[in-house]
Amino acid sequence: MTAVTRPSVRAATVRDAAELAVIDVRSWQAAYKGLLPQDFLDQLDAADRVTRWQHTLQATDWSRSGVMVTHPGHEVLGFARFGPTRDSEEHDAVGELHSIYLLPEAWGQGFGKRLMSVALARLVAAGYSQATLWVLRSNARARRFYETGGWAHDGASKCDDSLGFPIQEIRYRKQLR
Ligand SMILES: CC(C)(COP(=O)(O)OP(=O)(O)OC[C@H]1O[C@@H](n2cnc3c(N)ncnc32)[C@H](O)[C@@H]1OP(=O)(O)O)[C@@H](O)C(=O)NCCC(=O)NCCS
């Protein structure tokens, strides 16, 4: 795989669902090794996530939300999903970067930076003045990536038990304009 200066980024379509499911699972398994229970990571199966991705893409309101993919060639290497904040105490002008995941072999080559910059431009175009994201407290790589990109921990934290084990997350925030 060759790093390129300006890898192509485009809006995802329903036809990307299967590839997004594979990226989702492979990135989780690599990024969260040692951070989340191994038996949980081992049982993740991309086939289980295809339908969810199809629904997500079919239901996307592109005026306020989106899923962008990076594809230096034909193959999609990663995605960023954004939309309105899911935090009830926040106001309407706050958007959220819901997720950003790349195939492990594509990490550290600038693809994430380019994907992030397009996602941020889309958030601005959608009218948001600030953006937030939630990250695993122990995900040092992602936290460094966000901090390099001008995001900062805003003091909020939460413990999510929805997967059957505790996940400690902290919130980052960035002014968009
Ligand atoms: C987090 C992620 C999207 C970043 O994308 P990436 O393509 O690897 O990052 P880039 O190569 O664009 O790096 C951007 C910057 O982050 C920093 N960075 C990236 N990886 C780093 C590392 N391992 N250590 C230190 N800094 C790092 C660099 O300073 C880099 O800046 P530079 O371009 O000036 O060198 C990607 O690594 C990934 O998919 N990780 C696993 C999934 C994940 O944790 N997602 C976030 C969930 S909240």
Side-chain angles (χ1 to χ4, degrees):
M1 186 174 309
T2 324
V4 290
T5 347
R6 247 177 113 70
S8 302
V9 175
R10 62 165 169 82
T13 73
V14 176
R15 287 191 299 281
D16 295 311
E19 268 184 293
L20 294 181
V22 169
I23 295 166
D24 202 351
V25 164
R26 289 199 48 224
S27 195
W28 269 63
Q29 287 174 327
Y32 299 140
K33 193 175 179 60
L35 307 182
L36 296 183
Q38 192 58 43
D39 53 350
F40 166 76
L41 295 175
D42 288 343
Q43 57 77 43
L44 292 177
D45 184 351
D48 297 337
R49 297 194 178 197
V50 176
T51 308
R52 200 194 310 165
W53 271 109
Q54 286 169 337
H55 287 155
T56 298
L57 291 162
Q58 275 156 354
T60 297
D61 168 5
W62 288 91
S63 67
R64 298 288 280 164
S65 318
V67 181
M68 306 307 295
V69 295
T70 177
H71 62 109
H74 290 299
E75 189 196 1
V76 173
L77 298 183
F79 65 84
R81 186 165 76 84
F82 61 91
T85 173
R86 293 170 291 181
D87 297 336
S88 53
E89 80 280 8
E90 296 285 349
H91 52 83
D92 287 351
V94 180
E96 182 175 338
L97 183 73
H98 296 302
S99 50
I100 181 165
Y101 287 93
L102 299 172
L103 286 172
E105 54 270 32
W107 296 354
Q109 299 167 57
F111 294 116
K113 203 167 167 180
R114 170 83 177 119
L115 201 46
M116 173 69 84
S117 104
V118 173
L120 290 173
R122 290 285 181 131
L123 282 159
V124 170
Y128 299 107
S129 58
Q130 286 181 20
T132 59
L133 62 82
W134 288 94
V135 58
L136 213 69
R137 185 184 287 279
S138 54
N139 189 351
R141 167 186 286 273
R143 290 182 61 179
R144 278 193 303 267
F145 170 72
Y146 296 138
E147 287 161 15
T148 303
W151 295 78
H153 178 27
D154 72 1
S157 60
K158 67 180 176 185
C159 181
D160 179 359
D161 286 314
S162 61
L163 294 174
F165 45 85
I167 297 184
Q168 306 289 341
E169 292 178 287
I170 60 172
R171 190 169 64 195
Y172 276 58
R173 186 177 296 268
K174 186 176 170 76
Q175 294 297 325
L176 298 178
R177 52 194 153 89

